[in-house]
Amino acid sequence: MARKTANRRVGITDVAQRAGVSLASVSRVMNGNFSVDPDIAARVRTAAAELNYQPNAVGRSLALGKTDTIGVVVPDLANPTFQGMLRGVSRAAAQDGYRVLIADSSEVSSEESILAGEARRRCDGVVLCAPRMNDAELEALAPSLRPLVLVNRSTADIQTPSLVVDYGQGIQDLAMHLVKLGHTHLAFLSGPERSAGNQARLQGLEKFRTDHPAVTLTVLSGGSSFEAGHGSAEAVLETGATGVLAFNDLVAMGLLSGLHERGVDVPGDISVTGFDDIPFANYTTPPLTTAAVPINDIGEQAWQEMRRLLGDAASEPSHTTFQPEVRPRGSTGPATR
Amino acid sequence: MARKTANRRVGITDVAQRAGVSLASVSRVMNGNFSVDPDIAARVRTAAAELNYQPNAVGRSLALGKTDTIGVVVPDLANPTFQGMLRGVSRAAAQDGYRVLIADSSEVSSEESILAGEARRRCDGVVLCAPRMNDAELEALAPSLRPLVLVNRSTADIQTPSLVVDYGQGIQDLAMHLVKLGHTHLAFLSGPERSAGNQARLQGLEKFRTDHPAVTLTVLSGGSSFEAGHGSAEAVLETGATGVLAFNDLVAMGLLSGLHERGVDVPGDISVTGFDDIPFANYTTPPLTTAAVPINDIGEQAWQEMRRLLGDAASEPSHTTFQPEVRPRGSTGPATR
DNA sequence: AGATGGCGAGAAAACGTTTTCTGGAAACGT
DNA sequence: ACGTTTCCAGAAAACGTTTTCTCGCCATCT
């Protein structure tokens, strides 16, 4: 500890000394506290200003037992959905004086629990966004992460609030949209295996199958990226489907691009739908029909839930489900064959 | 402090007690430290496991005088450029065991200094990304934020490393690209007033004007968003320019959309260029000619600079300039009038 | 006038770690 | 066998705050 009085950061002690008062008084003044002599307050304030005193957040956190920071764990920072979610949380939290620590698991599900644990140790709470880990692991981890808010994933533990999107219903709505346009052969370009959202879509489509036995539905494996969609163009064409439900907007845009390269007309030859309604979905050519998910709101609500958890732990955790809304745009049209 | 022995978090003290050793030993064992009796180590480890001990990061930070966290301040989390930058920093920092705290100033330049200061107090260093504050303010703030890395902004203080994009050269390259295609009347759809990048573009274009007196160049005021571009379609048409340089890809995409609505053919009637080469630029219709900025790399390098700063403060700060690369795509073509 | 109450400021404990300091025992050399 | 060094574990200080506790002083009430 080479602290030769020189480069040391100025602390509350220095201020107290300079103002000729005790640490306690400085702390009281700095926290805008009640009942402290105006004269002392003034002395402290000028001393603080002269020394350019900056309170040390770590010391403060230790004494207070809180960091005013929450962690947000996302599977992939490059994904517009998670970006939007992060932004929503960040802005809402900032309103209440909280900051956000980010943890990007880069779609490596085994990293998630470690990242989440680390985040929790540094923060007052954690928002787990669409974790890829399996149910058992999530179940086991949840208690140690509390206060915990789950997004796009729920757990048997009723205590942790969750905000989920009804992907199952949304994909059915999109399918219905295509059927109404006269399509009888659909294809679903599915997403990451481990994604709970993908499972929900598959289940929704299973229900759709039984509800509409006359409609043929082919399921293709895919991914969640633009490239996955782009690379699936050929496979999609081979199915002979006239309506394609892409896992999300990114995949749909990739597919659009791949089809365009092959001279396939959308929606003339094939109709394509996305999911999420990311900002760019409106501006593809043709504009993408998709199911809108209010991702910024979800982020904001995630913070509201967290705030409740941080405040009175006794209040009721809520489990909100968001219904996606079909946005018919140019990428879908009447079936022609 | 209602700590009735019950809900208290398990600390190093509890582990020590259970293992029948001192705090010091537990600390030594937990830090994988040298020279501690294997028997004691084992006792500590089992005790820690049984109690499910989680070290408290705040206490640790206080003792160590470091938080293993850096702050990143961006003007707008909704902007793909800053998202990319943030992602680059985050991933690179994670490699070295550091986390990232985000601060979104929402383009409110007056908030920036406060946010940056707060971030610095909680973190070991700050990355300021394209701050909108003026030079004087930046100059004044910089010392108190150190270790500080600047992105897309530099300061007279040679001590703080900076990573800047040569927007001035990039915009000239794009203009040149249009001129070579035969365009003689260009328009520049400018960005936010306070943006240093916008100033750099304007200066670059000024130089371009003197280098190419035969070319007409009209400057329009605009913004940095899709909407700004979309709303400028009419104004652009009124200039009579056949080649339009948009402030960035977002603006260009908005313009593309606005022109499309008016039945203007791109690049048949008008050529349009963007800037940044965000992921979606490749997939607009037509694909957007733009100047590519390696934003992820910049984020990563920002971390590398920060790491240097955090390590040996004595080493030389570097000031890297990134040259944008023109990517000719479908949105630009030969002039027809 | 003396006892009591309130109020405000300083001393000290607390938060949970790491690290220096210290002392005792073992190891080693002469 | 004795003195010196080495090593290791525990005690205590340190990190920078907040907050409780304590004490002295002044005012008020009887």
Side-chain angles (χ1 to χ4, degrees), chain A residues 110-314:
Chain A
S110 57
E111 281 287 300
E112 281 181 342
S113 55
I114 300 169
L115 283 175
E118 289 228 335
R120 178 61 185 85
R121 255 176 275 144
R122 302 190 129 67
C123 302
D124 298 341
V126 170
V127 175
L128 259 188
C129 190
R132 304 309 201 209
M133 68 184 77
N134 62 46
D135 282 341
E137 200 177 349
L138 179 56
E139 204 80 31
L141 197 60
S144 80
L145 294 180
R146 228 168 281 161
L148 170 68
V149 173
L150 283 175
V151 174
N152 269 350
R153 191 74 183 267
S154 60
T155 166
D157 170 17
I158 202 73
Q159 293 294 13
T160 73
S162 63
L163 289 73
V164 300
V165 174
D166 192 345
Y167 290 108
Q169 186 59 51
I171 201 82
Q172 288 180 69
D173 293 349
L174 284 170
M176 199 57 216
H177 167 75
L178 290 174
V179 167
K180 279 190 186 152
L181 285 169
H183 296 272
T184 54
H185 187 176
L186 306 183
F188 174 55
L189 208 46
S190 62
E193 293 273 334
R194 320 205 59 145
S195 158
N198 191 51
Q199 299 302 323
R201 287 172 177 83
L202 287 170
Q203 284 173 22
L205 288 174
E206 212 45 61
K207 174 152 189 307
F208 185 86
R209 255 191 184 129
T210 65
D211 290 353
H212 304 266
V215 176
T216 312
L217 173 66
T218 315
V219 173
L220 299 173
S221 69
S224 64
S225 66
F226 185 96
E227 286 70 26
H230 191 265
S232 300
E234 201 60 49
V236 164
L237 289 174
E238 281 172 9
T239 64
T242 61
V244 184
L245 302 158
F247 172 68
N248 64 17
D249 290 345
L250 238 41
V251 173
M253 289 170 70
L255 180 59
L256 242 40
S257 162
L259 291 175
H260 183 73
E261 287 171 10
R262 286 171 176 74
V264 179
D265 183 43
V266 175
D269 301 326
I270 290 189
S271 286
V272 173
T273 68
F275 213 116
D276 289 343
D277 195 24
I278 65 175
F280 288 108
N282 226 333
Y283 310 113
T284 55
T285 319
L288 194 60
T289 294
T290 190
V293 174
I295 193 63
N296 275 291
D297 295 355
I298 293 180
E300 186 178 328
Q301 291 233 24
W303 165 247
Q304 299 301 349
E305 286 301 314
M306 180 56 76
R307 181 167 70 156
R308 246 200 342 82
L309 250 40
L310 292 172
D312 49 307

Side-chain angles (χ1 to χ4, degrees), chain A residues 83 99 104 118 226 283 285, chain B residues 83 99 118 226 283 285:
Chain A
Q83 290 168 351
R99 330 261 164 278
D104 176 0
E118 289 228 335
F226 185 96
Y283 310 113
T285 319
Chain B
Q83 289 168 352
R99 329 263 163 277
E118 290 229 335
F226 186 95
Y283 310 114
T285 319

Side-chain angles (χ1 to χ4, degrees), chain A residues 1 9 52 54-59 61-63 67-69 75-78 80 83-84 86-87 90-91 99-102 104 106 117-118 120-122 144 226-227 230 250 253 257 260 278 280 283-285, chain B residues 1 9 52 54-59 61-63 67-69 75-78 80 83-84 86-87 90-91 99-102 104 106 117-118 120-122 144 226-227 230 250 253 257 260 278 280 283-285:
Chain A
M1 297 224 176
R9 264 186 71 77
N52 189 26
Q54 305 270 90
N56 178 311
V58 178
S61 288
L62 185 59
T67 62
D68 289 350
T69 304
D76 181 10
L77 259 187
Q83 290 168 351
L86 176 64
R87 174 161 171 262
S90 167
R91 298 221 165 163
R99 330 261 164 278
V100 168
L101 196 78
I102 62 179
D104 176 0
S106 304
E118 289 228 335
R120 178 61 185 85
R121 255 176 275 144
R122 302 190 129 67
S144 80
F226 185 96
E227 286 70 26
H230 191 265
L250 238 41
M253 289 170 70
S257 162
H260 183 73
I278 65 175
F280 288 108
Y283 310 113
T284 55
T285 319
Chain B
M1 297 223 174
R9 265 187 70 77
N52 189 27
Q54 303 269 89
N56 178 311
V58 178
S61 289
L62 185 59
T67 62
D68 289 351
T69 305
D76 182 9
L77 261 186
Q83 289 168 352
L86 176 63
R87 174 161 171 261
S90 166
R91 298 219 165 163
R99 329 263 163 277
V100 169
L101 195 77
I102 62 178
D104 176 0
S106 304
E118 290 229 335
R120 178 59 184 86
R121 255 176 275 143
R122 303 190 129 66
S144 79
F226 186 95
E227 287 70 27
H230 191 265
L250 238 41
M253 290 169 71
S257 163
H260 183 72
I278 64 176
F280 289 107
Y283 310 114
T284 54
T285 319

Side-chain angles (χ1 to χ4, degrees), chain A residues 311-326:
Chain A
D312 49 307
S315 64
E316 281 303 296
S318 79
H319 299 260
T320 315
T321 301
F322 292 81
Q323 292 299 335
E325 233 176 78
V326 174

